[in-house]
Amino acid sequence: MVNKVPANLTKIAQELKIGSYQWHILICADASKPNCCDKATGLAAWDYLKRRIKELDLEHGEIIVYRSKVNCLRVCTQGPIVALYPGGWWYYCATEPVLERIVQEHILGGKPVQEYLFAQNPWS
């Protein structure tokens, strides 16, 4: 039996450019029980990331960046924590200045920000 994908999901995937983006940033920014950073710090980081991606036209431009706010990435210290794929780059203390460096140096420049990188877990 073949499962037919609902038309609304196909439309949403097309609008979000799923399948076309080069980077996916997951940020632990709104935990139910904040451990890695306080809730206000996480939400400020999330708001900054959303704004910068939009300002730099990284949602529809030549480089497409997809972003996801997650409840917890299970590191629970030195947050906000960011996981950046592909490549599985994990960053700590991802506040506004660090996020800006991740965007400028890693995503746009191709060089990981070594001083905030604490792990790597490529999926390949």
Side-chain angles (χ1 to χ4, degrees), residues 52-70:
R52 286 303 285 151
I53 287 172
K54 186 175 183 116
E55 289 170 354
L56 295 169
D57 196 28
L58 296 176
E59 294 174 314
H60 308 288
E62 187 176 319
I63 295 173
I64 298 173
V65 177
Y66 197 71
R67 57 178 169 72
S68 296
K69 175 175 58 171
V70 300

Side-chain angles (χ1 to χ4, degrees), residues 5-114:
V5 176
N8 67 329
L9 287 178
T10 301
K11 183 178 185 237
I12 291 167
Q14 290 169 344
E15 289 170 358
L16 293 174
K17 301 202 184 300
I18 294 174
S20 300
Y21 55 82
Q22 289 81 16
W23 295 99
H24 190 170
I25 302 174
L26 296 97
I27 182 168
C28 181
D30 194 9
S32 302
K33 296 179 183 175
N35 287 322
C36 73
C37 67
D38 64 79
K39 190 168 187 147
T41 300
L43 291 174
W46 171 248
D47 289 340
Y48 181 80
L49 181 62
K50 284 192 313 184
R51 186 173 72 249
R52 286 303 285 151
I53 287 172
K54 186 175 183 116
E55 289 170 354
L56 295 169
D57 196 28
L58 296 176
E59 294 174 314
H60 308 288
E62 187 176 319
I63 295 173
I64 298 173
V65 177
Y66 197 71
R67 57 178 169 72
S68 296
K69 175 175 58 171
V70 300
N71 180 279
C72 182
L73 288 169
R74 300 188 63 200
V75 176
C76 299
T77 189
Q78 303 297 310
I81 300 297
V82 160
L84 178 63
Y85 284 91
W89 307 91
W90 286 67
Y91 290 102
Y92 69 96
C93 292
T95 56
E96 293 179 18
V98 176
L99 286 168
E100 185 65 25
R101 290 191 61 197
I102 292 168
V103 168
Q104 294 297 329
E105 296 173 32
H106 194 149
I107 292 172
L108 297 176
K111 294 184 181 181
V113 183
Q114 292 297 327

